[in-house]
Structure formats: structure tokens, C-alpha cells
Amino acid sequence: MTTEYHDDTEDDSSSFWNKEPPPVSLSGVSRFRRWLFPALTATVILILIIALGASSTGTSSRLWSVEKSVSNLTESLSSSQQLTRDTARDVHRLKFSVETNRDQLASVSDALKQLSVLDSISRTVAKLRCSLERLINNGSLADGCCPLDWDIFETSCFYFSRTPKTWNDARDWCNGHESHLVILTTDEEWDFVTHHTAGTFYWVGLTDERTGKWEWVNQTPYVMNRRRWRPGQPDSWTSHGLGPGDEDCAHLHYDGRLNDIHCSTMMRFVCQRHSLRS
């Protein structure tokens, strides 16, 4: 019986090359994994806490701002409501005052109308008295009376002409009748004269011919008052075609306001005399 021999060396070599590596210990990895998850969890939680804290701080700041704005709006609304109530009370008091004084205002208006009527009657009576005294005194002028066809106002007599003249001729006519072209110094005189001259041109005693500055016929300087003049006047217009010089004389326009015009223009005039007793 033949004995077979096997090469153990070959088996050993195969066993060497096919030998599995020795198992690695997992105890270190396991411990690392066990600590990694809690650490990550704690980190995430910490991040969330920080983020929520920051968000909470910003939200709180915004809420405080909103609360402040609401508070300011509330105060403003309260002030507005109080102002509205105060205004309503003032309107109510004013309405009550107007209603209370309505009768008194009506009475004052009636009284003013009566005074106007009385003033007109008084002037009429004065004229009648002067006319009667002229008849008694054979036409002589009594003290405190105006000449025939002259109108009384306050302490002056006024003559409103019907015949047109140049400014210089009107001045001379007035001087020849113990008067002068009208000099208007008070609002009352303006109202009286313009009431009688409305709708027609009338010379007044105002000129800048002598010195280039406006003055009254008695050489009293005139204080410029624009509301008494028509818009854009005086303008010293030179293209009038009425001879040399510009517009050196003043007259009352249709609406009772002043206008400058060439002194050679023909128009009516107003004379004034201060012969009445005060």
C-alpha cells in the first residue's frame, strides 16, 4: 500500500494568505458614539435656546416700540377728543351769544337808520332856516348858513357844480366865491363828497403841478393813500395829446376813487368853504 504524502507547506502558505485579519475592538468606537449624540443634541438645543433668546429680545423690542406708538396715539386721540369737546362748547356759547344779542343788534340797526333819517332831516331844517333868514335879511348870509345851492356837512359848505371847467378855472371860481377846491382830510368827508359825485368826474383840490409832489390847493402836503386811487394811478401819462406837461391834476372818477389827468380837461368840480360855526 502506497503511502501519499501531502505538502503541508503549501497548505500553510494558503492558510497564511487566506488568513482573516484579527477582529478590531469596538469598545472605543461605541464609547465615542455614545457621547457624540448627547453632545450634538446639547449643541442643537443650545443653539435653539440662543436663537430663541435673540428672537425673543428682538420681538420684545418691537413689542415695546409698538406699545409706545399705541400709547402715543392714545394720548393724541385723547387730546383731539378734548379739543373737539372744547371747540363744541365754544361754538355753543357763541351761538347762544348771537341768539341772545340778535334782538339787540336789530335794535342798534334800527337806531342807526333813525339817526340817518334824523341827520337828513336836520340838514333839511338847517337849509330851510337859512333860506328863511336870507328872505328876512334881503338875501344876506346868516351866521352858520351856507349860500344858496350849497350843501351843509359838519362845519363846511360844499358846492357841487353842474358846469364843467378846467382845473385852473375851477380853482379860480371857488376862490372867487370865498371857498377853495375841496380838500378831503377825513373819512366822513370822503364818504359825503363821493356820495354826491358818484357816476360823474369832479375836480378836487389836489395837484402836483407846482413842485412835482402831490399837495392840496392850500399847499398842504398830500400823504399818499393808494386805496383812494384807482389801480395803477397816478401814472403821469404824457401821451394824452392835450398839450405840454403830464397829468398834474387829480379828479374823482365814476367810482369815487382818484385819478390823475391833464389839468386842461373840462369837468365838474367841488368847492368847499369853512364858514359855519362849530
Side-chain angles (χ1 to χ4, degrees), residues 94-154:
L94 181 60
K95 181 180 179 181
F96 178 76
S97 177
V98 170
E99 291 177 352
T100 301
N101 294 323
R102 182 176 298 169
D103 293 338
Q104 296 179 0
L105 292 174
S107 299
V108 170
S109 178
D110 292 340
L112 291 175
K113 291 179 181 178
Q114 292 174 6
L115 286 175
S116 178
V117 172
L118 289 175
D119 183 61
S120 177
I121 292 174
S122 177
R123 288 198 297 269
T124 301
V125 170
K127 287 182 179 180
L128 291 175
R129 181 182 65 82
C130 290
S131 298
L132 181 59
E133 290 189 5
R134 276 193 295 268
L135 290 174
I136 294 174
N137 298 322
N138 296 321
S140 61
L141 189 63
D143 290 339
C145 290
C146 292
L148 190 65
D149 296 329
W150 290 59
D151 291 305
I152 301 172
F153 182 73
E154 293 181 346

Side-chain angles (χ1 to χ4, degrees), residues 177-189:
H177 289 78
E178 300 179 358
S179 63
H180 54 76
L181 279 173
V182 65
I183 298 174
L184 301 173
T185 58
T186 67
D187 290 340
E188 291 76 16
E189 287 177 339

